[in-house]
Every structure is written in structure tokens, then in C-alpha cells.
């Protein structure tokens, strides 16, 4: 059995690489692929297939690499010509037990006495083989060195073979490390690299270090020889490509790959070799914080794709290849990894600018330094200023990307002047309430600092002029467009909304992403953690005191550059989907009443509707504020029309709520929402206490009519299509309800949890609903008067 074929000069590897080059000449670039067949997958051509023939190491037994272990040792010192005779002699010398360690350079005993008094260097081992002579000791490995032989006897054949292959690996890797640390001729070095790669791929050892050790050796070689020619670089990358198919490149090798992407973005090596490597990183990486150079390499690879003829079309095909052709991406790590790469690239553009200034610390140093010193001035909120049209404008500068967009100021104030469009003047002014909000946000930690936060807490200047280089526009545009692509995938959108919540980066692509979140038709979806996710909720604040996109893009918000257009769109979508609630209107009245009135004054129909609902639901208690809202509504035609309709409804509502009419009412089977609305509008139902809609066709839409019944105490919705949205509305308006029958309705935990605010409930039927045990326990804890409960045929039963 010959285990030394891996050192045979790499003849087989030359054939392998010749095949690779032949394939490479016929492989189309990604830019050309974008003009051809759309079904072509990146990195899946004939070149990639040619790399697989040596990747399995063949069949047979696999072994774990040994680093240490117990074994019997015998040393025989003799002339080599008498070896055979001594090995067959029955007077073989005694055996010593030793605990041997296989270091990088030698074989060492934990008890350096007897035969192993001194370490046995791998360089001194002339030959390594299994004993196969007749009458030889069983399960032995023979190590020949000048003047003698070391015999290692294992307990069984498997352990013997494990020692043999581990020693052989350590000896060979020691030799390659020594040879490649002192290169002379690069044609010889390339041949040695190919032999090293082939040895790693064909080794019967199964261990992570079997592939990582050669990669570390080669990365060290490249780091110490930075003056290599481009052709030498590409030859080395092609040679190590088979090792990268199932392994992440080490940090030094990542730096080398980044340099190659920057200097030769159109190289075939970037397309053929780096594509599967980056795909593997995005699919299997668990934490870029532990290996940030992998993230940087992925960024440079994407920018290299963007340099091809087809530009972003190639990047789009790459993103699609990471998602896959189906409606559900099979790789849960791809999305968070892509988002991490995009955000790091976006923030790095600004960090490079800040660090390039004289005596300017990094973003993290700004953040940490301001937190550690108590005598610093309080943080100052950021306000971006609109350019003064009265000032002379300079010639158009090189493109740059502002950190945020100009915003209108409320109340009205004369806009200060700023510099030309390539620079953004950031005015920092003190505001106690804003300071309080900033202090409530997260601080410190090892997480990557937010650019806006860092500028807010920086006490060094009162104004800061930011001018980014022209290259920043291309970088920011590329990665912002990737975020736009990610938002177009339905299965990625909920998780993407959570990952980006909120990023104050006012590129048009990101505004498109936010619009996609708002327009998502799903009320609730399940993420990869099997947890319910509300896509629209990601538009709102992350927590109290921390603004979300809803606040950032409102008039006067730090990212608003469209006079509140996106803000109005978000409000319209939220109100039309699942946020048409008293609580949401109350939050708007408390925090965004000014922007709502401003947009209503400009004729925005959504905001006019919001103000009318605030009056209809008695959200506003202050009489002066009510009069101001009425004046705002009467100042536009659409506002006046909707206010008159509100007054008509209010008159009808007052007539409906007058005392009188029946106390009990049962609708006929198969009645609809329209039938109920027609019936309630035909007379007075101010005394109605018991309403049965059982076995009718009513839905959650009828809740708009039910909340107008002030005396209602008992409501029967058995076997209707009344759902969660209706329950949420009832819970806000019918505080006196005592008996509720939801048997065989499609309600779920999301709606049932809202009932916890109805403290008067004493009887609740949830038979045959989607109630869970946890929600049931929560309702029992929050409803003290609840006595009669039916949970049969539910999970809580």
C-alpha cells in the first residue's frame, strides 16, 4: 500500500488544472449570461464540475485526525541493512507506554523519559509505513530515522491506521509549510501548492483542519509575497479552488481575495472561483461578527459583479440564485447575511469619511468616548437644513450621498443657508425633550454603531459638513438596490422588515422597500423561527422612545424629503389594513397631530379621514384642538365634504342611541353585514342589550355597526365569519359587554388577546376556535369577572 503518492510532484494536478483552464476559456461571463438564458445558475458551468473529481478523497475508511493519544513505543537502533533480521527476531526489545502529542513540528511525549526522552522531529523521519513482515508485532507503525527505527504499537488495527495517517499528514504538512515559507521559483511553488491541495483532498482523514491548514499556509505565502504578478495570483486561486468548495477562506486569504476583486473585477477567477465561495458564505455563515473579513469579501465580490457590463442585472441574477426559483427560500441564513453585508457597506462609506478627517475618531470611538465621560455636554438632536435658493449655487460637484434628506420644519421658520448639493450641513441644536429621547435609546455594546446616533452624541462641533467621495454613490446605490430586490420576495419581506427596523437611510431604493412593507397584504405571517410576524408593525416604533420609519418619514422627521408623501401613504395603508383602531388614532393624536393637520391642510384625503375619525371617536378632549381640527377640515373642499358627512353620521348616531326600541334582537339566518346595517339604520336601538347574529353571514365588517350600540351586553356570533379584526374593534368600544359567544368562528389568539381589556366579561364561549392554552391562561388572569368559559375542542381543552 503506497501512501506517499501525494508528494509525486503534482503530475495529476497539472492535468486537472489544464482541464480547468480549458473549461474557463469556454465559460461565459456573468455579464454575458444576463443577456442569454435566464435559467443559467451562477457558478454551475462545466468549470465547476471539473473541480469535483478530486474532492471526495475516494472511498474507504475515514479517520479523525489525532493530536495526542496513548500508545506503546519501542526504539531499535541498528544499521539499516540489519533491519529485516531484527524485526523478525523473537528477542525484540521491551515496550514503553507513552502519551504522545503530535505538535506542528515533532512527536513529543508527555513523560520525556526512556525511548522518548527527546522529541522526534518530523524532518528527521525518513520513512513512515505499516509493518507487514511475518512474525512482526501486531498493529505497528514503523518510523525510520537516521540510525534506527521507532515502532508504535496500537491496541487495534483502526487505531494503528489512525496513527499512521495522522503522522503522515503532520509530516507532509510540516514539509509544505517549510518549503512554501521560503519560495524560490514560482513555477515550483505553484506545483507544490497543487500537490498540497491534492493531498488534502485525497487524505482519508476527516477533520476541519485538513482543509484549513493548507489554506492558512497559502494565505501566509500570499501575505508575505505581495509583489506577485496578476497571473501568479490567478494561478494560485485556481489551484486552491477545490479546497474552497466546502470551506470558508481564512482571514488573510479573504484580504487577498478582496484585493483581487478590487483590482481585477472582470477577471474570470472572480466569476468562476469566487461565486461558489460567496454562495457558501451566505448560506452557512452564522455570525459575521466573528469573521468580519468574510463580510468584507462578500461586499467586494458584489461590487465586482456590479463592474461587469450588465452591472446591476448581474447582481440581480446573483441575488435570485441565492433565493432559488421557488416561492420559499430553502436557506434561512441567506437573508440576514445579505442584509448584514448591505448595511455594513452602507455604513462603511460614512465611517471612511469620518476617519479620514484630521484627528477624527471612528464611529465606535465617538460612541464609547461620549458615554464614558460624564462631563460631556448633553447630546444634540440632528436637524438637516433645506438649501437657501437665494444664495448663489456653485458648479455641480462630484456625486455624493447625504446621510439624510432635507426636512420641512414645524413650526415654520426661515431656513438657514447651506453649502452646495454635494455637501450636507448638519446643524446641531439643543433640545431637552429630544435629549431625553436619545438617552432612552440603546447604548454601548460591541454592535456596530449607527451613523445618525454617533452624530447626535458627538459634542465636538456645532455644525458638521459631510462630503462623500464620488465612489460612495456607486457603492450606496448598489447595496440599497439589493435591499430593494430583497423586499420583492414575499417570503423574505417580513424578516427583512424586522432586520431593517429602522434604518434612516433616505435612498429612493429604501423608500421603495418601506413602501413594499406597508403594502404587504398579509395581516400576519410566520417567520423562520415559527413566530408570528406582523409586517406592518415594523413600520412603527421599535419601542417607546425609539423612532421607527413611521416617525422618521413624518413631516419634520429626520428622513422626510417628500413633504410627508410616504408618511401619508403609510398611514393610509395601516388604517386600511389592521390599524384602524382607537389606540392607533390616539397615538397619532398624541405624537403626530401637527403633521396630520399640515397634510390635511394641503388636501391629503387620508389625513382628512384621520381627523374626521378622531372627532367621531372622541379622541381629542381639548375643545380648542377640536375647533382647530374643524377649521383645518373646512379649509379644503375634500375636508369640508368629509366633515359634513361626519356631521350627518353624528346626527344619525345620536338618533340611533336615543333611549327606546327593543332590548333583544335576533337576525334571521343567512343575514349579511349589509342587512344588519340596514336594520340598525331603520329605527332606534339605544336600549338593545341582547343581539344574536348566530348562523348568519356577518363578518368583522359588522363591528362598525355593533360599536354604535351603547347598551349592548350580550352578543351571540355563533357560527359566523366574525374574525380577529372585528374583535379588536369591539374590545375598544364595547366595554360593557358581559356575554360573548364566539363558538365556531375563525378567531385566533391575535384577536382573543384583545378581549383582555373587556373587564365586564363574565361569560365567554370559545368552543371550536383556534384558541391556545397560553392565551386561555392569559385571559383568565386578566378577566377577573369571567365565570363561565367554554373551551371545548380547542388546544386549551
Amino acid at each position: 500500500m503506497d501512501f506517499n503518492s501525494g508528494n509525486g510532484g503534482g503530475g495529476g494536478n497539472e492535468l486537472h488544472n489544464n482541464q480547468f483552464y480549458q473549461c474557463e476559456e469556454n465559460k461565459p461571463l456573468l455579464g454575458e449570461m444576463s443577456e442569454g438564458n435566464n435559467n443559467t445558475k451562477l457558478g454551475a458551468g462545466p468549470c465547476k464540475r471539473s473541480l469535483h473529481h478530486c474532492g471526495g478523497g475516494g472511498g474507504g475508511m475515514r479517520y479523525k485526525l489525532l493530536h495526542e493519544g496513548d500508545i506503546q513505543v519501542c526504539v531499535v537502533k541498528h544499521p539499516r541493512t540489519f533491519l529485516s533480521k531484527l524485526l523478525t527476531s523473537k528477542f525484540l526489545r521491551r515496550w514503553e507506554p507513552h502519551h504522545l502529542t503530535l505538535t506542528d513540528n515533532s512527536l513529543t511525549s508527555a513523560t520525556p523519559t526512556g525511548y522518548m526522552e527527546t522529541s522526534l522531529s518530523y524532518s528527521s523521519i525518513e520513512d513512515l509505513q505499516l509493518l507487514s513482515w511475518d512474525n512482526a508485532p501486531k498493529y505497528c507503525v514503523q518510523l525510520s530515522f537516521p540510525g534506527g527505527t521507532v515502532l508504535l504499537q496500537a491496541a487495534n488495527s483502526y487505531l494503528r491506521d489512525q496513527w499512521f495517517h495522522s503522522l503522515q499528514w503532520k509530516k507532509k504538512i510540516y514539509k509544505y509549510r517549510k518549503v512554501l515559507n521560503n519560495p524560490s521559483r514560482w513555477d515550483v511553488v505553484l506545483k507544490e501548492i497543487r500537490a498540497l491541495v491534492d493531498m488534502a483532498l485525497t487524505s482519508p482523514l476527516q477533520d476541519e483542519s485538513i482543509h484549513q491548514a493548507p489554506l492558512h499556509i497559502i494565505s501566509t505565502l500570499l501575505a508575505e509575497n505581495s509583489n506577485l504578478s496578476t497571473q501568479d495570483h490567478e494561478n494560485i486561486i485556481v489551484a486552491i479552488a477545490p479546497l474552497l468548495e466546502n470551506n470558508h477562506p481564512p482571514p488573510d486569504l479573504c484580504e487577498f481575495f478582496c484585493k483581487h476583486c478590487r483590482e481585477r473585477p472582470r477577471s474570470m477567477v472572480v466569476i468562476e472561483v469566487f461565486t461558489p465561495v460567496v454562495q457558501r458564505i451566505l448560506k452557512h455563515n452564522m455570525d459575521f461578527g466573528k469573521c468580519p473579513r468574510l463580510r468584507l469579501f462578500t461586499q467586494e465580490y458584489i461590487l465586482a459583479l456590479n463592474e461587469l457590463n450588465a452591472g446591476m442585472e448581474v447582481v440581480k441574477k446573483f441575488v435570485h440564485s441565492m433565493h432559488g426559483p421557488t416561492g420559499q427560500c430553502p436557506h434561512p441564513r441567506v437573508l440576514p447575511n445579505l442584509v448584514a453585508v448591505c448595511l455594513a457597506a452602507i455604513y462603511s462609506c460614512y465611517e471612511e469619511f469620518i476617519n479620514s478627517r484630521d484627528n477624527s475618531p471612528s464611529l465606535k470611538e465617538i460612541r464609547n468616548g461620549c458615554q464614558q465621560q460624564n462631563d460631556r455636554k448633553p447630546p444634540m438632536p440632528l436637524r438637516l437644513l433645506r438649501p437657501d435658493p437665494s444664495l448663489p449655487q456653485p458648479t455641480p460637484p462630484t456625486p455624493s450621498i447625504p446621510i439624510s434628506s432635507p426636512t420641512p420644519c414645524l413650526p415654520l421658520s426661515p431656513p438657514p443657508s447651506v453649502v452646495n448639493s454635494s455637501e450636507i450641513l448638519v446643524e446641531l441644536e439643543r433640545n431637552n425633550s429630544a435629549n431625553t429621547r436619545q438617552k432612552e435609546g440603546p447604548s454601548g455594546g460591541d454592535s456596530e454603531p449607527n451613523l445618525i446616533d454617533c452624530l447626535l452624541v458627538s459634542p465636538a462641533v456645532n455644525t458638521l459638513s459631510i462630503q462623500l467621495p464620488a465612489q460612495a454613490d456607486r457603492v450606496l446605490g448598489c447595496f440599497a438596490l439589493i435591499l430593494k430586490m430583497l423586499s420583492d420576495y414575499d417570503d423574505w419581506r417580513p424578516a427583512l422588515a424586522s432586520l431593517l427596523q429602522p434604518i434612516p437611510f433616505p435612498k429612493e431604493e429604501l423608500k421603495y422597500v418601506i413602501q413594499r412593507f406597508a403594502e404587504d397584504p398579509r395581516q400576519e405571517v410566520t417567520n423562520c423561527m415559527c413566530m408570528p410576524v406582523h409586517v406592518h408593525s415594523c413600520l412603527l416604533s421599535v419601542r417607546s422612545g425609539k423612532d421607527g420609519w413611521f416617525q422618521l418619514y413624518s413631516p419634520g422627521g429626520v428622513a422626510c424629503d417628500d413633504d410627508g408623501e410616504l408618511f401619508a401613504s403609510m398611514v393610509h395603508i395601516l388604517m386600511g389594513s389592521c390599524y384602524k383602531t382607537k389606540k392607533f388614532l390616539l397615538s397619532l393624536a398624541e405624537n403626530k397631530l401637527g403633521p396630520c393637520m399640515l397634510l390635511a391642510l394641503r388636501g391629503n384625503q387620508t389625513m382628512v379621514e384621520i381627523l374626521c375619525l378622531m372627532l367621531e371617536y372622541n379622541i381629542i378632549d381639548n375643545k380648542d384642538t377640536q375647533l382647530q381640527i374643524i377649521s383645518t377640515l373646512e379649509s379644503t373642499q375634500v375636508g369640508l365634504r368629509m366633515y359634513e358627512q361626519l356631521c350627518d353620521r353624528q346626527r344619525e348616531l345620536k338618533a340611533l342611541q336615543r333611549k327606546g326600541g327593543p332590548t333583544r334582537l335576533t337576525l334571521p339566518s343567512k343575514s349579511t353585514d349589509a342587512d344588519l346595517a340596514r336594520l340598525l339604520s331603520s329605527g332606534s336601538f339605544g336600549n338593545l342589550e341582547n343581539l344574536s347574529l348566530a348562523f348568519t353571514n356577518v363578518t368583522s365588517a359588522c363591528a362598525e355597526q355593533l360599536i354604535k350600540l351603547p347598551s349592548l351586553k350580550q352578543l351571540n356570533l355563533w357560527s359566523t365569519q366574525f374574525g380577529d379584526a372585528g374583535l379588536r374593534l369591539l374590545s375598544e368600544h364595547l366595554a360593557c359587554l358581559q356575554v360573548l359567544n364566539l363558538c365556531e368562528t375563525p378567531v385566533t389568539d391575535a384577536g382573543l388577546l384583545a378581549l383582555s381589556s373587556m373587564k365586564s366579561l363574565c361569560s365567554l364561549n370559545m368552543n371550536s376556535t383556534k384558541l391556545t392554552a397560553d392565551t386561555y391562561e392569559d385571559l383568565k388572569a386578566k378577566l377577573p369577572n369571567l365565570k363561565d368559559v367554554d373551551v371545548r375542542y380547542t388546544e386549551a381543552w
Side-chain angles (χ1 to χ4, degrees):
M1 183 183 298
D2 183 10
F3 289 90
N4 298 318
S5 59
N7 288 333
N13 293 283
E14 293 179 1
L15 176 61
H16 155 63
N17 284 281
N18 288 336
Q19 293 174 349
F20 185 91
Y21 284 121
Q22 291 170 6
C23 297
E24 185 174 307
E25 293 174 359
N26 299 323
K27 177 78 174 184
L29 284 170
L30 289 180
E32 297 170 350
M33 288 168 57
S34 64
E35 301 170 1
N37 188 358
N38 290 336
N39 296 325
T40 305
K41 289 186 68 177
L42 302 185
C47 290
K48 191 169 188 294
R49 289 197 296 270
S50 71
L51 298 176
H52 283 296
H53 79 278
C54 59
M61 189 74 72
R62 310 292 289 178
Y63 305 92
K64 179 74 175 175
L65 177 64
L66 274 176
H67 297 284
E68 58 180 335
D70 296 321
I71 199 166
Q72 298 289 324
V73 180
C74 180
V75 176
V76 181
K77 294 185 179 180
H78 57 83
R80 264 189 103 159
T81 54
F82 299 110
L83 174 60
S84 176
K85 183 176 180 180
L86 288 172
L87 289 176
T88 55
S89 171
K90 63 181 179 180
F91 301 107
L92 197 62
R93 297 187 179 188
R94 63 186 175 83
W95 294 86
E96 293 179 356
H98 281 274
H99 184 83
L100 300 183
T101 302
L102 285 74
T103 67
D104 291 338
N105 304 316
S106 62
L107 186 64
T108 306
S109 174
T111 55
T113 58
Y115 294 144
M116 297 301 298
E117 184 174 359
T118 59
S119 299
L120 181 63
S121 172
Y122 297 138
S123 60
S124 65
I125 299 176
E126 297 176 341
D127 192 19
L128 177 66
Q129 60 185 356
L130 300 173
L131 283 187
S132 58
W133 286 271
D134 295 336
N135 301 323
K138 295 183 69 174
Y139 313 131
C140 279
V141 179
Q142 172 194 334
L143 285 69
S144 300
F145 65 95
T149 298
V150 176
L151 300 178
L152 304 179
Q153 186 176 29
N156 52 61
S157 60
Y158 179 85
L159 193 58
R160 175 202 62 191
D161 293 347
Q162 189 178 15
W163 273 96
F164 170 75
H165 292 299
S166 298
L167 282 166
Q168 189 181 51
W169 169 260
K170 289 285 187 178
K171 181 178 183 301
K172 289 182 179 180
I173 207 71
Y174 171 80
K175 173 208 132 180
Y176 282 114
R177 187 180 292 111
K178 193 171 182 180
V179 170
L180 295 178
N181 276 346
N182 299 289
S184 54
R185 295 173 47 195
W186 282 102
D187 55 340
V188 176
V189 168
L190 185 58
K191 183 179 291 187
E192 292 291 343
I193 289 176
R194 291 169 179 168
L196 172 61
V197 171
D198 190 62
M199 181 191 74
L201 294 173
T202 57
S203 172
L205 294 172
Q206 191 169 4
D207 191 89
E208 181 182 357
S209 62
I210 299 303
H211 288 170
Q212 288 297 325
L215 291 176
H216 280 287
I217 292 174
I218 295 168
S219 64
T220 302
L221 170 70
L222 293 172
E224 294 176 353
N225 297 272
S226 57
N227 57 347
L228 291 177
S229 66
T230 302
Q231 188 59 48
D232 287 334
H233 281 172
E234 294 194 354
N235 289 339
I236 292 174
I237 294 173
V238 170
I240 64 175
L243 287 180
L244 297 173
E245 290 186 3
N246 296 308
N247 299 275
H248 290 337
D252 291 341
L253 203 55
C254 284
E255 287 191 1
F256 174 72
F257 288 171
C258 289
K259 180 180 178 183
H260 193 86
C261 287
R262 286 191 295 267
E263 295 179 353
R264 298 207 62 199
R266 297 172 179 265
S267 167
M268 184 65 72
V269 166
V270 174
I271 310 303
E272 295 293 341
V273 180
F274 291 170
T275 296
V277 177
V278 173
Q279 287 176 330
R280 187 180 189 280
I281 291 172
L282 292 175
K283 289 177 182 178
H284 301 292
N285 175 68
M286 298 299 293
D287 184 6
F288 275 131
K290 296 179 180 177
C291 43
R293 293 183 189 178
L294 288 179
R295 181 177 60 196
L296 182 60
F297 167 50
T298 306
Q299 293 172 17
E300 295 293 348
Y301 167 79
I302 292 175
L303 290 174
L305 293 186
N306 195 30
E307 292 293 329
L308 298 178
N309 293 333
M312 287 306 299
E313 284 299 316
V314 185
V315 176
K316 185 174 182 179
K317 286 183 177 294
F318 173 75
V319 173
H320 181 70
S321 74
M322 297 309 306
H323 180 277
T326 63
Q328 189 75 23
C329 178
H331 303 286
R333 295 301 311 166
V334 167
L335 177 64
N337 283 336
L338 270 174
V339 172
V341 168
C342 293
L343 296 185
I346 289 170
Y347 283 127
S348 67
C349 295
Y350 300 115
E351 190 166 17
E352 286 178 10
F353 165 76
I354 293 178
N355 293 337
S356 67
R357 297 169 65 88
D358 294 339
N359 301 320
S360 179
S362 69
L363 296 182
K364 189 172 289 188
E365 289 170 343
I366 292 176
R367 163 77 67 84
N368 294 339
C370 292
Q371 290 170 347
Q372 292 169 2
Q373 298 187 26
N374 296 327
D375 58 346
R376 296 276 186 141
K377 297 177 182 178
M380 295 173 285
L382 184 67
R383 184 163 65 93
L384 299 178
L385 309 175
R386 185 184 299 277
D388 189 349
S390 63
L391 293 178
Q393 299 295 322
T395 56
T398 56
S400 66
I401 302 300
I403 60 169
S404 192
S405 304
T407 59
C409 301
L410 293 175
L412 297 177
S413 60
S417 61
V418 296
V419 291
N420 60 56
S421 60
S422 69
E423 297 182 358
I424 291 298
L425 183 63
V426 181
E427 181 181 295
L428 302 170
E429 57 181 351
R430 303 189 183 282
N431 184 301
N432 292 331
S433 61
N435 292 342
T436 304
R437 290 198 300 271
Q438 289 298 327
K439 292 178 182 178
E440 292 175 355
S443 61
D446 295 329
S447 60
E448 190 166 333
N450 182 290
L451 177 69
I452 298 295
D453 290 344
C454 293
L455 292 176
L456 291 180
V457 299
S458 176
V461 291
N462 290 328
T463 59
L464 177 64
S465 177
I466 295 183
Q467 184 176 13
L468 299 181
Q471 177 63 15
D473 187 29
R474 188 172 182 83
V475 174
L476 297 178
C478 173
F479 288 100
L481 193 57
I482 291 178
L483 295 177
K484 177 181 178 180
M485 296 174 193
L486 299 181
S487 70
D488 287 331
Y489 291 95
D490 290 342
D491 59 321
W492 275 353
R493 198 175 300 129
L496 180 63
S498 299
L499 291 168
L500 294 182
Q501 184 183 10
I503 303 296
F505 182 69
K507 287 287 291 183
E508 288 301 319
E509 289 81 0
L510 187 57
K511 294 180 72 173
Y512 172 88
V513 172
I514 298 169
Q515 190 78 24
R516 293 288 287 161
F517 294 157
E519 293 173 353
D520 193 289
R522 295 165 293 183
Q523 297 288 320
E524 193 175 88
V525 294
T526 302
N527 64 7
C528 58
M529 305 277 301
C530 298
M531 297 292 291
V533 176
H534 206 299
V535 183
H536 300 148
S537 66
C538 296
L539 300 174
L540 305 175
S541 301
V542 184
R543 57 186 173 275
S544 178
K546 185 70 172 179
D547 288 345
W549 284 313
F550 189 74
Q551 289 79 20
L552 292 171
Y553 283 93
S554 65
V558 68
C560 179
D561 61 349
D562 56 2
D563 293 332
E565 219 173 284
L566 180 58
F567 171 75
S569 177
M570 283 191 279
V571 173
H572 174 75
I573 292 166
L574 291 173
M575 291 292 293
S577 59
C578 54
Y579 279 86
K580 195 172 184 179
T581 64
K582 201 170 184 179
K583 181 178 179 182
F584 182 59
L585 290 171
L586 189 60
S587 68
L588 283 178
E590 291 177 351
N591 303 312
K592 295 298 174 185
L593 183 58
C596 290
M597 293 175 64
L598 175 65
L599 293 174
L601 195 61
R602 295 172 180 175
N604 185 279
Q605 188 166 342
T606 300
M607 294 305 168
V608 169
E609 181 184 357
I610 291 290
L611 295 182
C612 288
L613 286 172
M614 288 181 180
L615 294 176
E616 184 173 359
Y617 289 167
N618 294 320
I619 300 294
I620 307 296
D621 295 328
N622 187 284
K623 296 298 182 183
D624 290 336
T625 305
Q626 290 180 358
L627 292 173
Q628 186 177 354
I629 291 176
I630 293 173
S631 300
T632 301
L633 291 173
E634 291 177 338
S635 62
T636 61
Q637 290 185 354
V638 62
L640 180 60
R641 184 180 70 253
M642 295 185 72
Y643 178 65
E644 289 175 350
Q645 293 173 356
L646 168 64
C647 293
D648 293 340
R649 288 200 306 272
Q650 289 287 63
R651 283 191 289 269
E652 292 177 3
L653 181 61
K654 291 177 181 178
L656 177 67
Q657 293 177 346
R658 285 197 306 267
K659 292 298 180 181
T663 59
R664 299 175 64 88
L665 179 65
T666 300
L667 249 67
S669 177
K670 307 301 182 182
S671 298
T672 64
D673 295 330
D675 296 329
L676 176 63
R678 193 177 301 112
L679 177 63
L680 293 181
S681 63
S682 63
S684 298
F685 291 91
N687 285 341
L688 188 62
E689 297 181 357
N690 187 322
L691 175 61
S692 176
L693 302 176
F695 305 104
T696 64
N697 293 332
V698 298
T699 66
S700 293
C702 75
E704 295 282 354
Q705 304 299 324
L706 298 179
I707 61 176
K708 300 175 182 178
L709 303 174
S711 303
L712 191 63
K713 296 180 180 178
Q714 301 180 31
L715 178 61
N716 188 352
L717 296 168
W718 188 0
S719 192
T720 64
Q721 292 302 309
F722 197 88
D724 293 337
L727 279 186
R728 283 192 285 262
L729 196 56
L730 293 183
S731 66
E732 291 189 335
H733 296 272
L734 297 183
C736 297
L737 197 65
Q738 299 175 1
V739 179
L740 180 60
N741 189 344
L742 299 172
C743 180
E744 297 181 11
T745 58
V747 295
T748 67
D749 286 348
L752 292 170
L753 280 173
L755 299 179
S756 59
S757 62
M758 303 177 73
K759 304 302 182 182
S760 298
L761 270 179
C762 57
S763 177
L764 181 60
N765 189 339
M766 296 176 286
N767 187 321
S768 303
T769 63
K770 296 179 181 179
L771 172 72
T772 63
D774 290 341
T775 299
Y776 177 50
E777 295 298 326
D778 191 53
L779 286 175
K780 286 197 301 183
K782 294 181 179 179
L783 297 176
N785 296 321
L786 194 60
K787 306 298 181 184
D788 183 16
V789 185
D790 188 350
V791 294
R792 288 175 296 171
Y793 307 108
T794 67
E795 186 181 310
W797 188 29

